[in-house]
Amino acid sequence: MSVTSVHKDFDTLTLTLIADFDAPAERVWHLWADPRQLERWWGTEDYPATVVEHELTVGGSVIYFMTGPTGEKGYGWWRITSVNPAKSLEFVDGFANEDGTPVVDGPTTTMQVQLTEHDGRTRMQVRSIYSSREHMEEIDRLGATELFTLSIAKMDALLDD
C-alpha cells in the first residue's frame, strides 16, 4: 500500500497523510487533474464519487457527489485556492446542496497536496486543516480518516494502468 504514514494532531486541527508512489509526479498529478481519474479513487467502494464540475484553476471549483449503497447522494464542493501542476494543489472542501452550492455555515476542510521526488519515487503529502475541533472530532469518529486512506490506496492500481 502506498500510504506510509497518517498523523492526526487535534491541537493544530490537522491530519497529515503521506503516500509514496512508483510513478512520476506528472502521472500522480493526473489523478487529481482529470475528473474521470479523480472519480476512480475519490470516495470508497461503497460510496463512489461522480464529478459534475472540475475546474482546477485558482478560483475554480470541483462539484461532486457520492452515491451510497441504497442510492442516497451526498454532495460536496472544492474551491481551488492554489494550483501548481504536478507540484501542489490547495482547496477548501465542504458539503454542498444538490445544485452544488455550499451548505451555509457547513464545516470546511482546507486540503494542501504536495508532490515531490523522494528516493526516486513520488511522495504525496496531503494535509487537511479542519475548521474546528468539533469538525475534526466528528470526521474522526465517523472513520473518515481510514476511508480516505483506503481511497488514496486505490491510486496504486490506477497508476499501474
Side-chain angles (χ1 to χ4, degrees):
M1 183 153 99
S2 56
V3 176
T4 58
S5 72
V6 177
H7 178 71
K8 300 175 195 176
D9 187 336
F10 286 91
D11 292 330
T12 62
L13 304 179
T14 60
L15 169 80
T16 304
L17 179 144
I18 295 176
D20 292 313
F21 301 102
D22 289 322
E26 289 284 341
R27 178 64 185 106
V28 177
W29 172 258
H30 190 68
L31 297 178
W32 292 90
D34 178 339
R36 303 298 71 92
Q37 292 284 302
L38 182 62
E39 287 176 335
R40 294 179 63 195
W41 68 269
W42 186 260
T44 64
E45 299 299 323
D46 291 339
Y47 287 87
T50 301
V51 176
V52 294
E53 182 179 313
H54 189 273
E55 185 183 352
L56 282 193
T57 59
V58 174
S61 63
V62 173
I63 308 294
Y64 64 94
F65 62 87
M66 294 182 178
T67 305
T70 60
E72 73 278 12
K73 293 180 181 176
Y75 289 81
W77 58 269
W78 298 354
R79 181 159 301 109
I80 310 303
T81 56
S82 177
V83 179
N84 188 354
K87 295 184 193 258
S88 65
L89 172 67
E90 184 173 316
F91 58 93
V92 179
D93 180 28
F95 297 108
N97 298 303
E98 287 185 19
D99 65 357
T101 58
V103 171
V104 176
D105 297 328
T108 60
T109 305
T110 298
M111 307 282 289
Q112 299 171 331
V113 180
Q114 291 186 352
L115 301 175
T116 56
E117 191 277 327
H118 182 77
D119 293 335
R121 304 175 81 199
T122 298
R123 172 159 286 177
M124 180 176 74
Q125 177 180 294
V126 180
R127 185 171 188 239
S128 304
I129 306 166
Y130 296 92
S131 57
S132 70
R133 185 176 186 95
E134 295 77 22
H135 179 49
M136 185 174 181
E137 288 172 348
E138 178 71 6
I139 292 293
D140 191 55
R141 185 185 67 73
L142 293 172
T145 301
E146 292 75 15
L147 294 175
F148 188 55
T149 300
L150 292 172
S151 292
I152 295 291
K154 290 193 298 185
M155 289 178 156
D156 286 320
L158 297 173
L159 293 169
D160 287 341
D161 284 350

